[in-house]
């Protein structure tokens, strides 16, 4: 069998709170160990031969590193972490003030785990200022025609009139901005985008499209396509995981009961396409026996989504979904988390950023490596198991 059966899945052990605490202690120690190198600089999006190199505040990923710092700060209370988090908030404020590399929808990925988190935890006013400016920048990408936030590229570019499933995680920045300012324009745009996204990216069998195009003239839905998945009709593992976490977040912010059914559907599809150790291959088309790389980040993202949604469920379902998260996370911690600190300066091995195939349109990099979001969501999921966590999202 390529994929695990539900009976086998049910028999897998769950991570205990004690184990999660031990894993979080080790992850926090790793953050502290590499902090001197990554305070004035950020790690690049993905490791190379297990090692992250330093880079400036560029790309969509540096906020995950600052988020790791805040999670480690929550766990340890070590003031060196707070000092580094504050330095990085300054960097994010400068980035948005200078509008450097912010022509993207990924502003939530950048500013929620860094600036919103820092503001929530320490009251740093620069975190609030930077995140509100990022929310203002994000809503400039909303198209009335089609009712969605454009993912990539210039807003007038003919080939870029599309959303991508990942954007569901950018929306909490907008809900937060409405809550902070009392101005509902951010929330209204987030709501419209969630509705459009969930109406189009989820296929009848609950697998998901990575990206979805709209007609620029009429705003009508046009067609789905993959970028980072194996092929158009397959389910990119991380896209499916963004769908699990995204429907959970959508449910929290909108209270829309139908989103819970979508969550159950996309979760079932994910579970039905897991290999025996519960850590998916980079595309859910692949399973045990296929010579393909894993994407361990998808496992951690899905675990966070399961734990998030379980907070809003009745006791039976709550225990079921939280238990699934514990099973997945135990495998990530036991089999994928970094143990040999001299060989790696990240947290979780065997993740895949962008794997080129004959049928997709992405570049090839960060295959079978650590990446910043894989490390961050691993720590977030552990934190969720260890405590009653107040989400950064
Ligand atoms: N949001 C980009 C990715 O998941 O690779």
């Amino acid at each position: 069998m390529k994929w695990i059966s539900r009976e086998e899945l049910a028999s897998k052990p769950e991570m205990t709170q004690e184990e999660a605490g031990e894993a979080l202690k080790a992850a926090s120690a790793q953050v502290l160990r590499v902090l001197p190198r990554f305070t004035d600089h950020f790690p690049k999006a993905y490791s190379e031969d297990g090692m992250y190199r330093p880079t400036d505040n560029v790309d969509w990923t540096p906020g995950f590193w600052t988020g790791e710092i805040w999670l480690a700060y929550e766990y340890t209370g070590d003031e060196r972490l707070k000092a580094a988090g504050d330095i990085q908030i300054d960097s994010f404020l400068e980035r948005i003030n200078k509008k450097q590399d912010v022509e993207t929808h990924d502003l939530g990925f950048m500013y929620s785990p860094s600036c919103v988190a820092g503001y929530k935890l320490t009251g740093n006013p620069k975190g609030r200022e930077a995140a509100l400016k990022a929310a203002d920048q994000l809503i400039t990408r909303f198209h009335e025609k089609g009712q969605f936030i454009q993912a990539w590229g210039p807003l007038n570019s003919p080939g870029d009139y599309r959303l991508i499933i990942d954007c569901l995680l950018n929306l909490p920045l907008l809900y937060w901005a409405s809550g902070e300012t009392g101005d509902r324009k951010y929330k209204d745009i987030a709501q419209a985008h969630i509705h459009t996204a969930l109406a189009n990216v989820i296929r009848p069998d609950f697998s998901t499209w990575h990206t979805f195009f709209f007609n620029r003239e009429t705003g009508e839905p046009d067609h789905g396509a993959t970028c980072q998945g194996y092929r158009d009709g397959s389910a990119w593992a991380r896209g499916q995981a963004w769908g699990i976490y995204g429907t959970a977040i959508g449910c929290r912010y909108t209270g829309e009961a139908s989103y819970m059914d979508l969550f159950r559907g996309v979760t079932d599809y994910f579970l039905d396409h897991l290999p025996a150790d519960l850590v998916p291959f980079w595309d859910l088309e692949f399973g045990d026996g296929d010579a393909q790389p894993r994407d361990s980040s998808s496992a951690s993202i899905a675990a966070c989504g399961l734990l998030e949604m379980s907070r809003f469920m009745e006791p039976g379902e709550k225990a079921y979904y939280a238990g699934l998260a514990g099973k997945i996370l135990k495998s990530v911690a036991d089999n994928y988390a970094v143990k040999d600190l001299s060989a790696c300066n990240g947290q979780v091995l065997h993740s895949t950023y962008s794997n080129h195939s004959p049928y997709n349109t992405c570049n090839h990099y960060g295959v079978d490596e650590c990446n910043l979001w894989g490390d961050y969501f691993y720590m977030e999921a552990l934190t969720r198991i260890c405590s009653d966590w107040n989400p950064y999202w």
Side-chain angles (χ1 to χ4, degrees):
M1 270 301 280
K2 264 165 75 141
W3 299 302
I4 195 166
S5 69
R6 287 301 175 97
E7 292 71 30
E8 284 172 290
L9 176 59
S11 73
K12 292 280 178 187
E14 291 172 23
M15 181 174 240
T16 62
Q17 221 172 10
E18 199 184 336
E19 287 170 328
E22 282 304 311
L24 193 51
K25 191 171 159 191
S28 299
Q30 177 73 321
V31 173
L32 271 164
R33 195 180 74 87
V34 304
L35 195 66
R37 192 163 194 222
F38 297 122
T39 293
D40 295 322
H41 288 90
F42 295 80
K44 194 174 157 179
Y46 54 91
S47 66
E48 288 154 275
D49 296 325
M51 288 291 177
Y52 287 107
R53 295 191 187 150
T55 181
D56 291 332
N57 192 336
V58 292
D59 210 345
W60 66 282
T61 51
F64 295 119
W65 168 242
T66 316
E68 284 182 67
I69 291 175
W70 289 130
L71 290 171
Y73 177 60
E74 287 203 64
Y75 183 71
T76 64
D78 190 312
E79 290 298 320
R80 287 172 294 174
L81 293 159
K82 177 177 177 299
D86 286 343
I87 288 170
Q88 298 195 356
I89 284 179
D90 287 348
S91 167
F92 280 100
L93 182 57
E94 186 183 344
R95 180 170 176 175
I96 193 71
N97 278 339
K98 293 188 173 163
K99 300 258 172 98
Q100 281 166 344
D101 196 13
V102 293
E103 301 298 329
T104 165
H105 72 148
D106 282 325
L107 290 146
F109 281 124
M110 293 177 210
Y111 283 83
S112 292
S114 57
C115 294
V116 173
Y119 172 62
K120 282 186 180 176
L121 291 173
T122 72
N124 182 339
K126 289 188 205 162
R128 181 179 188 275
E129 181 188 346
L132 287 177
K133 285 178 172 167
D136 280 327
Q137 176 72 13
L138 180 53
I139 59 174
T140 64
R141 301 187 68 79
F142 182 70
H143 288 300
E144 286 292 337
K145 277 213 175 121
Q147 297 283 297
F148 70 96
I149 294 170
Q150 182 179 318
W152 302 318
L155 294 174
N156 58 2
S157 144
D160 284 316
Y161 211 68
R162 65 173 154 182
L163 59 79
I164 72 172
I165 192 166
D166 322 27
C167 190
L168 295 168
L169 269 286
N170 286 317
L171 305 178
L173 179 68
L174 301 182
Y175 283 103
W176 171 83
S178 277
E180 271 307 301
T181 60
D183 185 339
R184 57 173 304 144
K185 72 180 175 210
Y186 307 98
K187 176 179 162 175
D188 286 346
I189 284 176
Q191 210 103 320
H193 180 95
I194 290 189
H195 179 75
T196 307
L198 294 183
N200 291 289
V201 296
I202 301 177
R203 304 180 185 119
D205 66 355
F206 292 103
S207 65
T208 52
W209 288 109
H210 177 196
T211 87
F212 204 95
F213 286 90
F214 295 80
N215 181 303
R216 181 182 282 280
E217 305 309 321
T218 64
E220 286 299 307
D222 201 87
H223 68 281
T226 200
C227 174
Q228 282 159 269
Y230 178 62
R231 62 182 175 87
D232 275 345
S234 68
W236 176 46
R238 196 157 60 256
Q240 196 76 19
W242 293 137
I244 293 171
Y245 203 170
T247 47
I249 280 176
C251 210
R252 161 150 57 97
Y253 281 111
T254 66
E256 182 61 61
S258 64
Y259 293 171
M260 208 176 265
D261 285 334
L262 295 179
F263 165 85
R264 293 185 185 102
V266 293
T267 299
D268 276 342
Y269 191 92
F270 186 80
L271 298 176
D272 286 338
H273 295 81
L274 289 178
D277 75 356
L278 311 185
V279 173
F281 287 80
W282 68 286
D283 191 289
L284 298 182
E285 181 142 314
F286 304 116
D288 286 316
D290 289 323
Q292 296 286 336
R294 308 267 178 165
D295 178 25
S296 58
S297 76
S298 298
S300 297
I301 294 165
C304 289
L306 297 171
L307 291 165
E308 171 67 21
M309 190 59 115
S310 72
R311 302 197 302 148
F312 310 107
M313 293 178 138
E314 298 300 324
E317 263 200 313
K318 184 186 188 80
Y320 170 68
Y321 285 108
L324 286 171
K327 290 172 194 288
I328 293 171
L329 209 53
K330 181 166 172 57
S331 180
V332 177
D334 288 354
N335 307 316
Y336 293 80
V338 170
K339 306 286 188 296
D340 178 1
L341 300 185
S342 62
C344 185
N345 58 4
Q347 303 283 3
V348 187
L349 302 164
H350 307 304
S351 203
T352 290
Y353 184 173
S354 195
N355 194 16
H356 187 62
S357 86
Y359 315 109
N360 73 21
T361 54
C362 69
N363 294 320
H364 193 81
Y365 37 58
V367 175
D368 198 21
E369 289 285 350
C370 302
N371 54 48
L372 288 182
W373 60 93
D375 292 353
Y376 167 82
F377 285 109
Y378 172 62
M379 287 186 70
E380 180 186 309
L382 295 172
T383 303
R384 283 175 176 272
I385 288 187
C386 288
S387 62
D388 186 16
W389 185 62
N390 181 19
Y392 302 162
W393 309 96

